[in-house]
Amino acid sequence: MFFLLWLFVLGLISYYLLQNGTSRITRTPVWLLWLVMMAPALIWTGWVLVNGTSKTVPPELVIIPFLVCPFLYWFLVQLGRKKITGETAEQVADSADSATEPAKPKPPVRPIDAAEEASLRDCFPWSIYFLRDLEFRPQAVICRGQLRTNPEAAYQAIRENVERLFGDRFLVIFQNSLSGQPFFAIVPNPSSKVGETPLTSLKTPSLTRPFFALALVLITVFTTTIVGSQIAGVTEKALQSNPSMLLQGLPYSLALIAILGIHESGHYLAARFYKIRTTLPYFIPIPFFLGTFGAFIQIRSPIPNRRALFDVSIAGPLAGLVATVPLLIWGLNHSTIVPLSDKSGMLNFESFTPNFSLLMTLLSKLTLGGALNAESAIDLHPVAVAGYLGLIVTAFNLMPVGQFDGGHIVHAMFGQRASMAIGQVARLCMLLLAFLEQGLLLWAVILFLTPLNDEPALNDVSELDNRRDFLGLLAIGLLLIILLPAPRILIDWLNV
């Protein structure tokens, strides 16, 4: 039941991402792209529904869709792209709009007029960026030339020149082309205050909604407390006879909310440091499963550069880890050792085996000592369950795929094109890892449904410094010690 619910939620999320992302660069129908993206998950779900969970999905039924569908998806996207040219893009958009809406005045083909073109050319000093030509597109001016200084200095100088002549009317974007050549793009700034009147400024909605965020926190406390009481062993009948027993779910609830809240607060504070407009952390309460689907923030302004992208992305997992490890150790210390059984595993909180994770194995043995051996499992304390879920959230967010924190991190470290290749390799590795541990199969499905592309920063050319590169490698190492199972030689040595 939960698997079908996850499949439904992931289907909605993937369709939303396709509708708001990929549909902008291809004319291929969104429903067709969605069907190709969801095909592996639908095939695997169909097998489980027909044959039950007792039978293992054949390897060829797992590997073939996983390998074929990405190439088919890429082919369909490229097929739609080939039908769009710079000259016909506006006509296609107009014809699509006219089918559903009354005729509107066509937007100007050029975001600047002829007189402003000369001023724009003056923004590119030949000693910094030798401008060769301008390409005028709807709502964008592509400036191609040769970079003659370091990317950071070039972007800073040209952005200041554009702001001096045009104010905040445009955003200056600096990216690498498919051939690796850096180019500038001048696009209208949606947050520009040029032409703003007092009346229109009053209509701007508030970005932070503290009462809404607080309401979500309180609801999430209630839903996670219900789930926490179930984890603590409180039955529905006992809860009906004595409602005060619901308070036994508070340790799990408060620990989990603290971990998720600190994680998102790390993102929020880092974004505020770089003056990036963002919402407060919002929790997602649900009255079943874990009591929550997590928390998130919404960034409402462009990321200025790859350094800011890296700092904002890595701040959440590191902050969450700082909260997770002490709570996990405390919870393990108050957990109970039980005999190992056939039902023991990574998803059984009443008979938990930590061998699937190197870090979890080390922390469990460090905390429980000789009481934990090869013939025993752990009945996790509710706080230990929250800490364990905190580790899972940290690892999940550090996956180097698309819009995950790890995807942003590798994007900032290696660039957008390299990050997409790394993301595809991470998908395949997770699928192979799922053969060793069946509990990771859902994780592999989620990663496959996640688009590989990541939104570029305004200055997406300037590279990170050595300190941040090293910190990024440490984050990838943290992901590996959480995900990879403990080696057999270590398990035998620790006797777990």
Side-chain angles (χ1 to χ4, degrees):
M1 178 63 184
F2 284 136
F3 187 83
L4 293 177
L5 178 63
W6 270 107
L7 184 66
F8 176 74
V9 172
L10 290 172
L12 292 178
I13 294 174
S14 61
Y15 190 88
Y16 174 80
L17 293 174
L18 287 173
Q19 183 68 39
N20 290 275
T22 310
S23 62
R24 300 176 183 176
I25 62 173
T26 181
R27 291 182 61 195
T28 304
V30 174
W31 65 267
L32 182 59
L33 295 175
W34 178 85
L35 188 61
V36 172
M37 178 180 287
M38 291 288 293
L42 295 174
I43 292 173
W44 302 334
T45 303
W47 169 271
V48 172
L49 293 177
V50 173
N51 299 279
T53 56
S54 58
K55 292 186 178 180
T56 305
V57 180
E60 60 273 13
L61 201 61
V62 175
I63 296 175
I64 293 177
F66 188 84
L67 296 178
V68 171
C69 289
F71 289 103
L72 181 58
Y73 176 86
W74 175 84
F75 173 77
L76 291 174
V77 171
Q78 296 301 320
L79 186 65
R81 260 183 180 165
K82 291 179 181 178
K83 296 179 181 180
I84 300 178
T85 64
E87 297 178 356
T88 61
E90 186 180 2
Q91 297 176 2
V92 171
D94 291 340
S95 61
D97 291 340
S98 62
T100 57
E101 298 180 2
K104 298 179 179 179
K106 291 185 177 182
V109 177
R110 296 159 51 120
I112 61 174
D113 55 34
E116 292 174 324
E117 179 181 342
S119 299
L120 179 60
R121 290 182 179 274
D122 292 338
C123 294
F124 294 86
W126 67 270
S127 60
I128 295 178
Y129 189 83
F130 182 69
L131 185 63
R132 290 196 176 97
D133 62 271
L134 300 178
E135 298 178 13
F136 293 95
R137 300 182 182 179
Q139 302 298 311
V141 180
I142 308 300
C143 310
R144 301 188 185 276
Q146 182 179 2
L147 183 65
R148 292 189 169 183
T149 185
N150 71 80
E152 185 69 29
Y155 179 79
Q156 186 70 20
I158 292 173
R159 190 192 67 181
E160 290 177 355
N161 290 340
V162 172
E163 290 178 350
R164 175 172 49 83
L165 292 175
F166 299 98
D168 67 344
R169 181 177 159 193
F170 296 108
L171 292 176
V172 180
I173 300 176
F174 193 28
Q175 297 184 30
N176 284 316
S177 64
L178 295 178
S179 61
Q181 296 298 319
F183 69 93
F184 285 86
I186 311 299
V187 300
N189 182 5
S191 301
S192 174
K193 296 181 180 179
V194 175
E196 186 178 77
T197 66
L199 182 60
T200 57
S201 63
L202 289 175
K203 294 181 180 180
T204 304
S206 175
L207 187 62
T208 59
R209 295 185 289 175
F211 292 107
F212 178 68
L214 179 60
L216 289 178
V217 170
L218 295 177
I219 296 173
T220 306
V221 168
F222 178 71
T223 56
T224 51
T225 300
I226 293 176
V227 174
S229 65
Q230 297 171 355
I231 294 175
V234 179
T235 63
E236 184 178 353
K237 184 177 180 180
L239 188 60
Q240 290 176 352
S241 61
N242 185 10
S244 64
M245 297 186 69
L246 183 65
L247 296 178
Q248 295 186 24
L250 272 180
Y252 166 82
S253 172
L254 297 179
L256 184 60
I257 287 178
I259 292 171
L260 296 177
I262 291 174
H263 178 113
E264 292 304 322
S265 295
H267 290 311
Y268 176 78
L269 294 176
R272 291 297 299 269
F273 175 80
Y274 283 100
K275 299 180 180 179
I276 299 171
R277 299 177 69 247
T278 180
T279 66
L280 291 171
Y282 295 142
F283 282 83
I284 308 174
I286 54 173
F288 52 88
F289 193 44
L290 303 176
T292 176
F293 271 143
F296 67 96
I297 62 171
Q298 288 182 318
I299 292 179
R300 299 291 182 84
S301 62
I303 305 294
N305 48 53
R306 282 161 62 173
R307 182 174 62 254
L309 177 65
F310 179 88
D311 290 351
V312 172
S313 301
I314 203 170
L318 291 184
L321 185 68
V322 169
T324 295
V325 173
L327 288 171
L328 177 58
I329 292 176
W330 188 93
L332 287 172
N333 192 47
H334 290 77
S335 298
T336 306
I337 298 298
V338 296
L340 190 68
S341 67
D342 294 337
K343 296 183 179 180
S344 299
M346 63 176 292
L347 299 179
N348 188 346
F349 299 151
E350 297 178 355
S351 184
F352 177 78
T353 53
N355 297 350
F356 74 95
S357 166
L358 174 58
L359 181 59
M360 197 69 194
T361 300
L362 294 175
L363 291 177
S364 299
K365 190 64 177 180
L366 176 66
T367 305
L368 298 172
L372 179 63
N373 53 53
E375 287 76 33
S376 61
I378 309 171
D379 183 3
L380 292 177
H381 186 275
V383 173
V385 174
Y388 167 56
L389 294 176
L391 272 190
I392 297 298
V393 169
T394 300
F396 190 70
N397 279 279
L398 284 176
M399 288 302 300
V401 178
Q403 296 289 327
F404 290 113
D405 294 336
H408 297 318
I409 290 171
V410 296
H411 172 190
M413 293 173 64
F414 306 110
Q416 191 173 27
R417 293 183 63 191
S419 68
M420 295 179 67
I422 293 172
Q424 186 59 29
V425 173
R427 283 174 167 179
L428 181 59
C429 291
M430 180 54 67
L431 180 63
L432 296 177
L433 196 59
F435 283 107
L436 300 177
E437 182 58 60
Q438 293 294 322
L440 298 176
L441 181 59
L442 178 60
W443 201 336
V445 173
I446 295 174
L447 291 182
F448 181 78
L449 296 177
T450 303
L452 291 174
N453 61 305
D454 183 24
E455 291 292 333
L458 291 179
N459 177 6
D460 210 50
V461 177
S462 298
E463 299 180 352
L464 300 180
D465 52 63
N466 293 335
R467 181 174 61 86
R468 286 183 171 84
D469 282 332
F470 179 72
L471 189 59
L473 293 176
L474 287 181
I476 296 174
L478 174 62
L479 168 66
L480 294 178
I481 65 174
I482 295 176
L483 276 185
L484 294 181
R488 174 54 58 183
I489 186 173
L490 180 63
I491 291 177
D492 294 338
W493 181 61
L494 295 176
N495 189 28
V496 293

